[in-house]
Amino acid sequence: MRRWTVLGLVVCVALAGILGAGYAQAPRVIRIGVVVSATGPAAALGIPVRNAFLLYEELFRDAIPGHRIQYIILDDATNPTLAVQNARKLIAEDRVVAIAGSTVSVSALAMVDVTGEAGVPQMAMGATQNIVHPVDEKRRWVFLLPQTAASAIQAVTLDMRLRGIRTVGYIGFNDVWGEEWWTSLSQAAPNLGIRVVANERYARADTSVTGQVLRLLAARPDAILIGASGTPAILPHRTLRERGYRGIIYHTHAVGDPDVLRVGGKDLEGALLPVGPAVVADQLPDNHPSKRPALEHKRIYESRYGPGSVSQFGAHVHDFWLIVRPALERALRRASLDNLPAFRAALRDEIEATRNLPGAHGVFTYSPIDHLGHRFEYSNVFVQVQGGKLKLLRTFLPRQ
Amino acid sequence: MDATILGLLVADGITNGVIYGLLAITLVLVFTVTRVLFVPMGELLMYAPLTYALLVDHKLPGSLWLGAVLLAAWGVLDLLAGARRISLVLFAGAAALLGAGAWAATTGFPILAWVLAVGVVVLMGIATYRLFFEPIPHASVLTYLILSLGLHFVFQGLGLVFFGPEQYRLPPLLPGEAQLGPVPLPRQNFAVYGLALLWVLLLYGFFSRSLYGKALLACAINRRGARLTGIRIRDAGRVAFTLAGLICALGGMLLAPLTNAAYFMGFLPSLKGFVAAVLGGLVSYPLAAAGAILVGTLEAFSAFYASAYKEAIVFALLLPILFVQSLRTLEIGGVEE
């Protein structure tokens, strides 16, 4: 009889211990909002980002001891209005500590007002410079993950000069993305002695660009730059070739995506474009600082979504994680999650304190006056479409 | 600008214009007979090529399920109304559609997939009328407009679910290029012209020679008068929607190889078809067709001269037209009977 009482007591104490320990270690949830364009014309760019976030949540949700990281992923359908609504909802209802997105420049730019007002760190994945530049009261809160057009255009114009190209024609989207590439091109080209001879625009959902292409052909440029992104970039390329254009065609880094290459097929053969190093991870030279993180991302992403699935945009999520995880850990030491505004501010400061962090897309160094974080030499490589695959042509690493 | 560029621009304009024209004719046909402004025709246009693309890719597209569900719902309605034999036929049809779809998906045989893709869109056209518009035969134009706007959003959303957000590339009916004077043209353009011409002739024959066509015209001109002479308005509506589905499906199959097919591709062409139909006052076929060619050509030339303002120029065309139309005060739509 006595023995049973003792045993019962022991069991009770053990149970209480387990429960107590369980209670003490119940993870605090850290919510991070994600806005992607998973549908609409820019879906080909947003889907890998969504996929990557789903995967990274699954793998790394318990990476910070005592906490659980949860991503709340919303689709903005390539629509800035919806992106803004999503951002408001994430901030007010879901009480997120930070927001990643959106994947399209227009949407990311539209969200800056909301995140800046509410004081929520935003990691934008649209690639235009004016999302983060100049760093003012609102833009204090937003950081950029992708390479900007201004930096990618440097890679394009360098390649143009090496190929001895004298004249270049431009066709791009009639939105922020197309405008950014046009501005960058028209500023960068004259310094290298390249003349810009045509400037045409089209819409993502257009069914024909014959008019614009004829106009381009009439200007007889040595090369043509297509300032577009995703699958809609294929239409002008195909029309140019159909109309007998034999010159070189350049694309933006928003085109180096397996989906675009699949839909584009033979039409895109020979196209030249700058991409982030993550896209050609296994072709990078060993001394490239991004080689290791890029290969790591490739391994993680392809383990779930199959070989050849890694893309420019999915890799931004890897960089997001590389930057935000240590920032979160440092912010947790400085501020409490119970005081959300203070925690968001601490997280912002810690993201801004990121220095010389090798990521899949280059080396990140943010500062109070620079929220772009990229250095041209590390963040851009130049590739060509060969046999439906991207082939590394050159890197821009500084000579040692 | 030389002759080649001029020729290419005109050819491009006419190709797009022909597609808009098919849509404009559909719009006029459906509107005159049933007073429905058929907004979801853009979606019907998009369903056909995407269904085809998925079938050839050995997948069973959701649009076939939608078609089967619509047919089955129609069967249930008829069953409730007491027409047991017709409802049995409809149920069998729904099952046959899925069976044919499964067969086409396993074989991936292009011609079968083509026929099935066009067929399911035609069925969806007529079933849409039977299920949503026929039960409210005397509603106002505004009610119909709101209903068809709702259908547009539903069909587009379903399109996203069925086909995903990515684009597909369809092989052209006629590959390669042909030289027309100084102008090199893709052969697919001729497929577009040829089929459109065939359609216009067929429709002309249908309306001028066949009893059904004449009944349809009678309905369009005066519904009460037509009913008094023994024409069933209901049947006229069904015929109109069947034709609409067929034209949309063929238009989509022609348009898709010229661009990339995606779930959002239907709306803009149908909007431009609408502009063209308004040019014809929503009642005249020849004027609508001519308007469509005008819209297409204007689009091509504005793409050449001021590409950034292309859409703005095309849609600004509505303003003077509406102004002139308001001066002419044609009695169209509005109050009936």
Side-chain angles (χ1 to χ4, degrees):
Chain A
M1 198 62 203
R2 187 119 167 238
R3 215 171 47 182
W4 285 112
T5 318
V6 171
L7 199 67
L9 223 75
V10 168
V11 168
C12 277
V13 168
L15 267 178
I18 291 166
L19 279 178
Y23 183 76
Q25 283 176 7
R28 285 291 306 267
V29 175
I30 300 177
R31 289 201 194 85
I32 296 174
V34 180
V35 181
V36 294
S37 302
T39 58
L45 310 178
I47 290 169
V49 173
R50 190 193 56 195
N51 289 347
F53 269 113
L54 288 173
L55 181 60
Y56 277 62
E57 175 173 30
E58 202 179 305
L59 295 177
F60 302 115
R61 59 163 61 118
D62 300 319
I64 299 177
H67 294 83
R68 165 153 295 183
I69 292 169
Q70 186 190 354
Y71 294 112
I72 299 165
I73 305 174
L74 300 179
D75 176 20
D76 70 13
T78 322
N79 176 353
T81 320
L82 212 54
V84 168
Q85 279 174 17
N86 286 344
R88 284 192 201 287
K89 181 179 172 300
L90 288 169
I91 293 168
E93 283 177 32
D94 300 314
R95 302 174 58 77
V96 297
V97 298
I99 291 182
S102 173
T103 47
V104 176
S105 312
V106 236
S107 299
L109 192 59
M111 286 163 63
V112 170
D113 281 337
V114 183
T115 53
E117 233 165 66
V120 178
Q122 178 191 352
M123 304 292 285
M125 297 184 195
T128 57
Q129 195 169 349
N130 54 359
I131 297 173
V132 291
H133 189 83
V135 182
D136 54 18
E137 215 26 61
K138 271 178 195 152
R139 295 190 178 92
R140 275 187 69 224
W141 294 89
V142 52
F143 300 86
L144 211 65
L145 289 167
Q147 301 81 348
T148 55
S151 111
I153 199 82
Q154 224 178 318
V156 173
T157 44
L158 273 174
D159 186 85
M160 284 177 180
R161 201 172 58 164
L162 287 169
R163 287 171 197 273
I165 282 163
R166 291 282 181 72
T167 53
V168 58
Y170 176 80
I171 176 167
F173 282 160
N174 55 359
D175 65 8
V176 189
W177 184 241
E179 196 58 35
E180 171 102 353
W181 275 82
W182 164 247
T183 322
S184 308
L185 177 71
S186 52
Q187 279 169 4
N191 297 335
L192 296 167
I194 299 166
R195 222 153 42 84
V196 188
V197 291
N199 173 20
E200 295 298 323
R201 295 303 154 86
Y202 74 110
R204 283 171 201 265
D206 268 359
T207 51
S208 162
V209 288
T210 307
Q212 292 94 320
V213 160
L214 290 174
R215 185 99 170 169
L216 279 174
L217 292 181
R220 301 187 181 286
D222 297 339
I224 286 173
L225 171 64
I226 300 177
S229 70
T231 37
I234 300 164
L235 183 64
H237 192 120
R238 189 165 71 221
T239 313
L240 277 167
R241 291 295 185 223
E242 274 171 7
R243 294 278 71 84
Y245 183 69
R246 298 268 165 268
I248 295 165
I249 300 181
Y250 290 94
H251 279 272
T252 74
H253 52 297
V255 173
D257 189 276
D259 252 340
V260 184
L261 295 178
R262 179 182 57 79
V263 178
K266 266 204 284 293
D267 293 324
L268 283 182
E269 199 61 26
L272 291 166
L273 58 148
V275 292
V279 182
V280 284
D282 35 14
Q283 298 177 48
L284 290 176
D286 288 334
N287 63 347
H288 199 292
S290 284
K291 175 128 188 166
R292 230 163 55 92
L295 279 175
E296 194 186 326
H297 169 69
K298 188 178 157 74
R299 184 180 54 76
I300 295 173
Y301 195 85
E302 295 190 343
S303 70
R304 168 67 50 91
Y305 298 109
S309 59
V310 78
S311 72
Q312 170 90 18
F313 272 70
H316 292 320
V317 178
H318 190 73
D319 291 343
F320 172 87
W321 178 237
L322 289 179
I323 294 167
V324 168
R325 177 190 177 171
L328 268 176
E329 282 169 348
R330 295 195 298 264
L332 280 169
R333 285 200 287 276
R334 278 182 46 194
S336 157
L337 271 171
D338 296 319
N339 185 354
L340 202 54
F343 185 81
R344 285 166 173 167
L347 182 59
R348 190 213 77 89
D349 294 345
E350 293 303 338
I351 293 174
E352 196 173 70
T354 303
R355 298 273 183 282
N356 294 321
L357 180 81
H361 272 306
V363 180
F364 288 87
T365 302
Y366 294 125
S367 80
I369 52 160
D370 178 16
H371 283 193
L372 280 172
H374 285 279
R375 268 186 68 187
F376 167 74
E377 306 90 83
Y378 296 130
S379 303
N380 296 280
V381 298
F382 214 74
V383 300
Q384 183 169 38
V385 180
Q386 289 181 8
K389 294 248 164 22
L390 296 176
K391 172 99 188 357
L392 181 69
L393 288 189
R394 67 172 62 94
T395 66
F396 302 96
L397 290 178
R399 293 235 171 72
Q400 274 144 9
Chain B
M1 172 177 287
D2 58 24
T4 317
I5 291 181
L6 187 72
L8 278 169
L9 282 181
V10 170
D12 184 54
I14 291 178
T15 310
N16 281 327
V18 163
I19 306 275
Y20 303 153
L22 287 175
L23 288 169
I25 287 175
T26 312
L27 207 62
V28 172
L29 172 74
V30 170
F31 183 73
T32 49
V33 175
T34 64
R35 296 293 181 271
V36 175
L37 267 176
F38 195 42
V39 186
M41 64 181 178
E43 275 61 55
L44 293 186
L45 178 105
M46 156 274 280
Y47 274 15
L50 288 174
T51 303
Y52 172 78
L54 280 197
L55 280 176
V56 173
D57 208 19
H58 299 285
K59 289 179 198 134
L60 184 62
S63 50
L64 289 177
W65 283 102
L66 178 66
V69 166
L70 288 177
L71 275 190
W74 180 357
V76 170
L77 276 190
D78 275 8
L79 195 65
L80 291 178
R84 185 177 293 171
R85 197 179 300 166
I86 297 176
S87 70
L88 278 179
V89 170
L90 287 167
F91 289 138
L97 189 64
L98 283 179
W103 185 42
T106 40
T107 54
F109 192 50
I111 294 177
L112 184 65
W114 212 92
V115 172
L116 205 59
V118 172
V120 73
V121 169
V122 174
L123 285 176
M124 274 162 65
I126 178 170
T128 305
Y129 177 71
R130 172 66 185 93
L131 290 175
F132 303 109
F133 295 105
E134 206 179 285
I136 42 166
H138 300 296
S140 68
V141 172
L142 189 63
T143 313
Y144 285 144
L145 176 63
I146 292 170
L147 188 55
S148 68
L149 211 57
L151 281 172
H152 154 71
F153 285 116
V154 171
F155 280 168
Q156 189 170 47
L158 286 174
L160 175 60
V161 175
F162 295 157
F163 310 112
E166 285 143 38
Q167 296 189 327
Y168 292 85
R169 177 83 205 279
L170 256 65
L173 284 179
L174 300 172
E177 280 203 342
Q179 197 78 18
L180 192 76
V183 186
L185 283 179
R187 289 226 171 82
Q188 176 72 9
N189 283 17
F190 294 103
V192 174
Y193 304 153
L195 226 78
L197 198 66
L198 192 71
W199 256 112
V200 170
L201 290 178
L202 276 178
L203 279 180
Y204 180 75
F206 176 72
F207 281 123
S208 62
R209 307 252 176 245
S210 82
L211 197 59
Y212 269 105
K214 284 178 178 164
L216 229 55
L217 273 186
C219 271
I221 293 163
N222 188 332
R223 293 183 85 177
R224 174 173 283 180
R227 221 160 68 194
L228 287 174
T229 53
I231 296 167
R232 271 200 281 185
I233 303 288
R234 193 192 76 183
D235 290 352
R238 288 185 184 178
V239 173
F241 268 79
T242 311
L243 282 176
L246 193 54
I247 301 177
C248 285
L250 291 175
M253 298 305 285
L254 289 176
L255 179 64
L258 293 171
T259 164
N260 291 323
Y263 83 97
F264 53 82
M265 74 179 266
F267 187 59
L268 266 184
S270 74
L271 215 54
K272 284 169 188 159
F274 180 73
V275 174
V278 170
L279 269 169
L282 276 175
V283 286
S284 159
Y285 294 100
L287 271 183
I293 303 289
L294 178 69
V295 168
T297 322
L298 186 71
E299 194 184 32
F301 277 90
S302 52
F304 184 79
Y305 282 113
S307 55
Y309 304 102
K310 193 188 79 174
E311 308 292 351
I313 291 172
V314 170
F315 289 113
L317 196 62
L318 267 176
L319 296 177
I321 300 164
L322 287 177
F323 180 68
V324 172
Q325 291 281 9
S326 74
L327 290 182
R328 284 170 55 201
T329 51
L330 263 175
E331 204 59 56
I332 46 163
V335 193
E336 78 155 17
E337 292 178 315

